[in-house]
Amino acid sequence: MPVHKFGPAIIRLHDTDNVVVATRRLAEGENIGEAVTLSVIPSGHKIAVRPIRESEAVLKYGQVIGRASRDIAAGEQVHLQNLAMLDSAVSHEIAIDGGPTPLLPESERRTFKGYLRPTGLVGTRNYIGIITSVNCSATVAKAVADYFKTNGFGNYANVDGVVALTHGTGCAIPTNTEGFTYLRRTLNGYARNPNFAAILMIGLGCETNQISHLVKAFELEEGPRLRTMTIQGLGGTRKTIEEAVGIIQELLPEIDAAKRTEQPLSGIKLALQCGGSDGYSGITANPALGYAADLLVKNGGTAVLSETPEIYGAEHLLTRRAATPEIAAKLMARIDWWQNYTEKNGAELNNNPSHGNKEGGLTTILEKSLGAVAKGGSMPLMEVYEYAEPITEPGFVFMDTPGYDPVAVTGQVAGGCNLIVFTTGRGSVSGFKPAPCIKVATNNEMYEHMSEDMDINCGGIIDGSDSIQAAGERIFEKIIAIASGDRTLSEGYNYGDFEFVPWQIGAVT
């Protein structure tokens, strides 16, 4: 982690940097110690602290984030008007810091109260899931879930809810494509996620993505906790809704009887996410989450970084932590895939940052990636997974996903994640049932403005009143508390019914 050096109005992130970050809105002509501002500088934005020549590298975190597109004067804002993207050309020192995860002695490891499932996996919530094989069964699935939202569960207070996992595909999709593989892998992963106590699969009946084929291919065991049905087979929508409601009502006593018991933190698979990032994300909340992720991993848990387009330009910070050269090679193979994928589709990886990211002070994907990777802490990289693959290796791991948050989180939850920590500088508010989502604010202004949605504030790191270590320890304690049954603010609003978004790749036929 960089050592933050605070001035009266700026943060320097590395001794070699030729830019600093404003900790507040700066007026024109303000002396910041190393330069005098030549214009108004928005909070979170970059300022040159010495002249930077055209084509010279611009450094932040001690790393290249782009090149000057024209001469930049000391005291000038550095952003879209004078900072250009360049292709990632970092060197990859493979596995020089890799090796086994440094675990705490078992006697010192923390525990939490979770639901031990027959599979040996541990849930942090006790939901019932309705998985749709195709968009054609989405309305029925929603109607079943809405029945219980309206009528409740009676005396069965230990049931967290019924979640309808609907999507826009499942038919008119070639079966030999990546898109079809990802969809089926995602549905299988949700069926196995330990935050679900029971699953109903509902299809139309004639779709390409046949439920019977899915169950057979992934060796899912039908029984009391996994039931399947089709609308055509049952004779229409009303009969299917009634059948599904009846099955759930029969299951309620057994599901409600599940009890939380003391479990090791190895039962937690934590999805690391950021969205609506700003210029402070890589300075405050992301490194604090990285510190918390390290604590979880040392206690035997699993922390899952994702969003491959948002590590582009910072991938060398991960390859050098790979436990083996083979793991590093897996990561680079996914970077290569993305470069080919974006080129084929007439795009580029620097299509990211988003509009909001740029307004918050992030200029290039290289800059955003360096801040995003900070969520991954400092532990060895133990494995790299493709989208929605089952996560079986404990420790710090990576999953290949798009940068779009709902799609990325859907892949992580399909992989087995049962909890999410989501950092945000602009104010993202999504929920992701069945996994509770802890929101972490990067700055005081947004936290105060949106305090009803933010679980933790890391804004004090900006002015030195807080630290990465202290904030990271708060996040770690919040992870344990939420995993043990405390509610996040987004759960209090019952958010999370619409963020199931499997990654769609390929032609619709």
Side-chain angles (χ1 to χ4, degrees):
M1 295 292 176
V3 177
H4 299 170
K5 297 182 179 179
F6 297 91
I10 56 94
I11 301 173
R12 172 180 281 281
L13 296 172
H14 195 278
D15 288 338
T16 63
D17 289 353
N18 50 17
V19 297
V20 294
V21 178
T23 63
R24 56 173 173 81
R25 185 178 185 275
L26 303 177
E28 181 180 349
E30 191 161 345
N31 189 334
I32 59 172
E34 301 182 62
V36 175
T37 58
L38 300 182
S39 66
V40 171
I41 309 293
S43 177
H45 283 243
K46 299 176 292 296
I47 313 147
V49 290
R50 64 168 178 78
I52 303 173
R53 298 185 304 277
E54 182 178 355
S55 299
E56 184 180 348
V58 175
L59 299 176
K60 182 181 177 183
Y61 306 104
Q63 304 281 336
V64 176
I65 62 169
R67 295 197 181 276
S69 57
R70 60 170 173 77
D71 288 346
I72 303 173
E76 188 175 350
Q77 180 188 17
V78 177
H79 200 30
L80 301 170
Q81 73 279 6
N82 53 24
L83 175 59
M85 171 67 178
L86 73 165
D87 288 336
S88 174
V90 293
S91 60
H92 294 276
E93 303 166 19
I94 304 299
I96 61 169
D97 296 330
T101 300
L103 295 170
L104 292 171
E106 283 200 38
S107 60
E108 298 179 18
R109 295 182 204 172
R110 299 284 296 279
T111 61
F112 75 106
K113 292 184 177 181
Y115 296 101
L116 180 62
R117 304 301 187 190
T119 59
L121 300 175
V122 184
T124 64
R125 293 296 181 266
N126 200 35
Y127 277 105
I128 299 163
I130 304 173
I131 292 177
T132 53
S133 61
V134 66
N135 179 255
C136 306
S137 55
T139 299
V140 166
K142 288 288 188 187
V144 176
D146 287 345
Y147 174 89
F148 289 98
K149 282 184 182 178
T150 301
N151 297 285
F153 300 100
N155 295 323
Y156 302 119
N158 198 34
V159 180
D160 286 310
V162 177
V163 183
L165 302 167
T166 63
H167 53 92
T169 183
C171 203
I173 178 172
T175 59
N176 60 344
T177 61
E178 284 177 307
F180 189 67
T181 297
Y182 289 174
L183 173 63
R184 281 158 54 91
R185 207 155 61 198
T186 300
L187 300 181
N188 169 63
Y190 270 73
R192 296 179 184 275
N193 191 287
N195 283 8
F196 285 125
I199 292 289
L200 266 65
M201 287 189 175
I202 302 179
L204 177 61
C206 58
E207 62 269 20
T208 300
N209 184 35
Q210 287 287 301
I211 290 177
S212 60
H213 297 172
L214 179 71
V215 169
K216 182 178 180 180
F218 290 97
E219 298 181 343
L220 294 167
E221 294 184 12
E222 290 194 65
R225 298 298 183 95
L226 175 62
R227 306 284 284 273
T228 67
M229 60 187 69
T230 67
I231 297 167
Q232 292 169 352
L234 285 169
T237 57
R238 180 186 60 80
K239 293 176 182 178
T240 306
I241 293 167
E242 289 178 353
E243 177 75 9
V245 168
I247 288 172
I248 291 173
Q249 288 173 330
E250 290 175 10
L251 288 171
L252 285 176
E254 188 176 354
I255 293 171
D256 185 71
K259 302 298 180 187
R260 291 183 181 271
T261 57
E262 211 68 37
Q263 299 294 327
L265 288 191
S266 58
I268 293 180
K269 293 178 181 175
L270 178 69
L272 309 172
Q273 276 292 325
C274 60
S277 300
D278 68 352
Y280 296 127
S281 293
I283 300 171
T284 63
N286 285 358
L289 175 53
Y291 189 93
D294 283 353
L295 292 176
L296 177 65
V297 166
K298 288 178 182 178
N299 277 271
T302 302
V304 187
L305 187 65
S306 69
E307 299 181 294
T308 313
E310 296 186 11
I311 66 162
Y312 178 70
E315 65 270 20
H316 61 296
L317 301 180
L318 296 176
T319 56
R320 68 179 54 170
R321 289 163 53 189
T324 68
E326 291 75 19
I327 293 170
K330 279 187 180 182
L331 182 62
M332 291 312 303
R334 300 320 299 166
I335 294 286
D336 291 343
W337 184 94
W338 273 96
Q339 289 177 313
N340 292 332
Y341 177 64
T342 52
E343 184 178 349
K344 281 193 302 184
N345 287 279
E348 58 180 21
L349 285 173
N350 198 42
N351 185 53
N352 201 328
S354 69
H355 173 76
N357 296 155
K358 292 171 183 175
E359 291 222 333
L362 298 173
T363 309
T364 69
I365 189 57
L366 304 183
E367 178 183 11
K368 184 177 181 181
S369 293
L370 289 164
V373 164
K375 300 192 304 291
S378 62
M379 293 292 103
L381 177 64
M382 302 307 295
E383 188 54 278
V384 173
Y385 295 96
E386 293 193 25
Y387 186 79
E389 280 190 323
I391 298 164
T392 56
E393 184 68 32
F396 171 60
V397 302
F398 184 85
M399 176 177 282
D400 178 35
T401 75
Y404 183 43
D405 303 321
V407 179
V409 175
T410 296
Q412 289 171 306
V413 175
C417 288
N418 51 12
L419 189 65
I420 302 154
V421 177
F422 194 116
T423 68
T424 180
R426 306 287 292 177
S428 294
V429 296
S430 300
F432 299 95
K433 292 178 182 178
C437 182
I438 301 167
K439 295 295 192 316
V440 182
T442 72
N443 64 86
N444 291 331
E445 182 179 5
M446 187 276 288
Y447 176 77
E448 291 164 3
H449 186 59
M450 299 184 66
S451 60
E452 294 176 347
D453 294 281
M454 298 294 120
D455 296 285
I456 295 176
N457 181 28
C458 291
I461 296 171
I462 296 169
D463 61 17
S465 62
D466 197 2
S467 69
I468 289 172
Q469 178 178 347
E473 289 172 350
R474 290 200 307 277
I475 295 171
F476 179 63
E477 294 299 332
K478 178 68 80 170
I479 289 168
I480 294 174
I482 296 298
S484 299
D486 284 6
R487 297 283 157 174
T488 66
L489 291 177
S490 65
E491 286 184 294
Y493 296 123
N494 200 27
Y495 292 165
D497 286 310
F498 303 101
E499 288 83 358
F500 176 72
V501 187
W503 187 6
Q504 294 188 40
I505 298 178
V508 176
T509 58

